[in-house]
Amino acid sequence: MEPELVADEGHVLLWRPPEPVLAISSGPLGGGIGERRWVVNATVPLSYDRDDPEVHLREIADRIGVRGAGCGLLTGVDVRLVRHHRDAGVSAWVTTGIGDAPTWAAAEPTGETASTAGTINAVCLLPVRLADAALVNAVATVAEAKAQALVESGVPGTGTCTDATVLLCPTRGPVERYGGPRSAVGAPLARAVRAAVVAGLRPPGSSPLFGRR
């Protein structure tokens, strides 16, 4: 399954699995755990100030012609710069934007507002069905791998305050009980996410999945 690049008000990445998948998502549309039919990751202007992202994403879905239950993410990053990495059957697509204020997860609040927002959105496809607890564990694995990539790349933070993750897996088949970074699924997931984030931190033009047009 590869994402489609769709033109809307901004560019949109659209994943449409051939059949419904089990998803866990922290995004504003379709968050939580459940069966989903599609995922969108949509570029919005850096000046974006709508306070109804769920409604906005539903509007985008309607305009591009997807129906039913889905997951939606927003980002100020040009989604044409998405980076993809595959490892042992796991695929990770990541749009990486850190703006001018990457955040340490446990930092004390400063009251300052970043002038350029950043968002790291990860959409990952897993080859086997995960138990609900394993899906939650796998989301933590994505966060750990993302933080590792940022620290190794010299970024002073573990992420941004608007990062979002979507994990997709089959609805049927033997159930994997673990999603941590040393599990059969979590280990390649961690490697794939780390590689995609590192690639996304490189200058534009270094072989994104969709080049700028």
Side-chain angles (χ1 to χ4, degrees), residues 2-205:
E2 296 292 335
E4 307 167 44
L5 182 65
V6 182
D8 188 54
E9 294 172 339
H11 288 95
V12 178
L13 291 180
L14 170 63
W15 289 261
R16 282 197 277 200
E19 58 184 33
V21 292
L22 180 64
I24 183 169
S25 172
S26 63
L29 176 65
I33 298 177
E35 287 194 11
R36 304 288 184 262
R37 294 181 175 276
W38 47 266
V39 179
V40 295
N41 186 16
T43 298
V44 293
L46 294 177
S47 59
Y48 186 80
D49 61 357
R50 286 186 60 161
D51 61 1
D52 59 348
E54 181 177 2
V55 173
H56 186 197
L57 281 160
R58 179 58 66 184
E59 293 169 357
I60 292 172
D62 288 343
R63 286 198 300 268
I64 66 175
V66 289
R67 301 289 183 267
C71 298
L73 311 174
L74 297 173
T75 177
V77 176
D78 184 341
V79 296
R80 292 175 295 176
L81 299 178
V82 64
R83 305 305 174 100
H84 172 247
H85 197 83
R86 183 176 175 84
D87 191 307
V90 173
S91 281
W93 294 268
V94 182
T95 50
T96 300
I98 57 172
D100 62 2
T103 300
W104 294 107
E108 293 295 329
T110 64
E112 297 179 359
T113 302
S115 59
T116 304
T119 299
I120 302 174
N121 284 343
V123 177
C124 306
L125 179 64
L126 311 177
V128 297
R129 169 79 160 85
L130 267 65
D132 286 359
L135 283 169
V136 175
N137 201 176
V139 171
T141 295
V142 169
E144 291 176 25
K146 173 189 66 179
Q148 179 180 341
L150 293 175
V151 171
E152 290 178 344
S153 300
V155 176
T158 51
T160 84
C161 61
T162 55
D163 295 352
T165 296
V166 178
L167 303 182
L168 309 171
C169 71
T171 60
R172 298 185 296 272
V175 176
E176 174 63 43
R177 295 184 295 158
Y178 305 107
R182 291 297 173 265
S183 67
V185 175
L189 173 64
R191 293 191 297 265
V193 169
R194 173 186 170 275
V197 173
V198 168
L201 292 168
R202 294 172 185 160

